[in-house]
Amino acid sequence: MDQVSFVWLEITGKCQLECAHCYAESGPDGDHGTMTEQDWRDLIDQAGEMGVRTVQFIGGEPTLHPSLPGLIDHARDRDVEVALYSNLVHIKPVLWEVLSQPGVRLATSYYTSDPGEHAAITQRRTHARTKANIAEAIRRSIPVRVGVINLWDGQRSDQAVEDLRVLGVVDISVDHVRQVGRGVRDRQPGVDQLFGQCGRGVVAVSPTGEVWPCVFSRWMPVGNIRTTPLAEIVAGPAMNRMLARLPGRVPSAGKSCDPTCCPNTMCDPQCSPSCSPSCTPAGNCTPSGNCAPYY
């Protein structure tokens, strides 16, 4: 496996929303799993020692985890950059202060300019709150990346992009729904639903400590951080077997894919996920043209 430069930390399965396409099938009945705050801190320490550049806190909705502010500070203390994927339904004042620190980035999803259509996707009437909090992040000069995900024909996604531009968002990606979790429509989850950099310098860790090659490959665990150090897992035979099954890298326009680059100039997995996948505008890493999940 390539040297790991980015780790998704799925710290909870709990979420205020029940998005119709959520890869993690998160919702209000989810929980924080079996990983303790100290387990996550130890994992961040291991990641820093391995040379990981960025960790991204995801869920579920990571802002619902009481330890999130402390975990963000712990990562920054280890000189590891932080990205947070949030649905931006509710951000507490203390978390705004944490997110406003250097070395912290924010990512979210935005589906449509129409509040009713948004509610049909998320199962909650939260469009106004998400939009207002995107604006607040811009006001605070927090780096923000937004993924617009198409779930069906006729969705007001083009208008959503225009909404975001008016708000001042410059880092916007557009992608289709992945058929994983509640996103399954006419096929079962498989490697054809993964992005080209899955397992290539990136790994994901679940609320129970399971390690996956990426957030979409939940049916392909390669170890558990509660029993085995991360460095051993990523270098182990289970990971190598999984990598042999995953889609290969397909460079575009003469560029080789670099999972450490950010923002989205090439194949950037690190500025994203939660309940909607997203790819960089260039879309230059996989046959399907999708490289950076926002799920």
Side-chain angles (χ1 to χ4, degrees):
M1 179 177 179
D2 300 347
Q3 180 178 348
V4 177
S5 60
F6 175 87
V7 180
W8 285 285
L9 306 180
E10 188 174 304
I11 60 175
T12 184
K14 190 175 184 66
C15 186
Q16 309 100 319
L17 310 181
E18 294 180 90
C19 294
H21 60 295
C22 181
Y23 80 101
E25 301 184 83
S26 302
D29 293 333
D31 58 44
H32 300 323
T34 54
M35 287 280 283
T36 66
E37 178 178 353
Q38 190 57 52
D39 288 334
W40 289 116
R41 286 175 177 264
D42 291 344
L43 176 56
I44 291 168
D45 291 342
Q46 292 179 45
E49 291 168 2
M50 292 170 59
V52 169
R53 298 184 182 183
T54 304
V55 295
Q56 182 169 40
F57 295 97
I58 61 172
E61 173 50 39
T63 62
L64 297 178
H65 197 295
S67 300
L68 178 63
L71 292 174
I72 290 175
D73 285 341
H74 187 73
R76 293 182 66 254
D77 288 344
R78 298 299 182 273
D79 293 323
V80 177
E81 291 191 358
V82 172
L84 172 70
Y85 174 86
S86 170
N87 58 35
L88 293 183
V89 168
H90 179 65
I91 303 294
K92 295 178 180 178
V94 65
L95 190 54
W96 277 125
E97 297 305 315
V98 172
L99 294 174
S100 299
Q101 299 175 102
V104 181
R105 301 192 300 274
L106 183 62
T108 192
S109 297
Y110 188 73
Y111 307 104
T112 172
S113 61
D114 180 74
E117 188 173 48
H118 176 91
I121 293 171
T122 66
Q123 308 301 302
R124 300 290 187 278
R125 290 196 167 276
T126 56
H127 180 269
R129 280 182 275 170
T130 295
K131 186 176 180 179
N133 282 326
I134 292 173
E136 178 64 14
I138 295 295
R139 187 188 72 79
R140 290 174 175 265
S141 300
I142 299 171
V144 182
R145 185 178 181 190
V146 183
V148 176
I149 297 82
N150 283 305
L151 278 74
W152 50 67
D153 292 339
Q155 181 178 324
R156 294 178 64 83
S157 50
D158 289 343
Q159 293 87 341
V161 171
E162 184 58 30
D163 267 4
L164 294 169
R165 288 174 175 158
V166 170
L167 290 174
V169 180
V170 295
D171 199 345
I172 305 169
S173 304
V174 180
D175 197 11
H176 64 275
V177 66
R178 307 278 177 167
Q179 297 207 37
V180 179
R182 286 199 292 264
V184 169
R185 300 293 187 266
D186 57 2
R187 66 185 68 180
Q188 291 302 307
V191 295
D192 62 323
Q193 296 300 302
L194 305 180
F195 69 113
Q197 292 303 293
C198 185
R200 315 272 179 185
V202 301
V203 292
V205 182
S206 81
T208 60
E210 272 195 332
V211 178
W212 308 307
C214 69
V215 291
F216 292 138
S217 59
R218 311 171 76 80
W219 70 95
M220 302 169 68
V222 294
N224 193 296
I225 197 66
R226 301 186 74 200
T227 59
T228 309
L230 182 61
E232 291 184 22
I233 292 173
V234 300
M239 176 64 85
N240 289 327
R241 286 194 297 270
M242 290 302 102
L243 288 178
R245 297 175 54 192
L246 297 177
R249 285 175 272 190
V250 181
S252 173
K255 296 179 180 179
S256 60
C257 293
D258 176 5
T260 67
C261 64
C262 189
N264 53 3
T265 53
M266 292 170 62
C267 310
D268 166 27
Q270 66 237 53
C271 299
S272 28
S274 184
C275 286
S276 35
S278 187
C279 147
T280 64
N284 47 352
C285 300
T286 70
S288 60
N290 300 303
C291 36
Y294 257 90
Y295 237 69

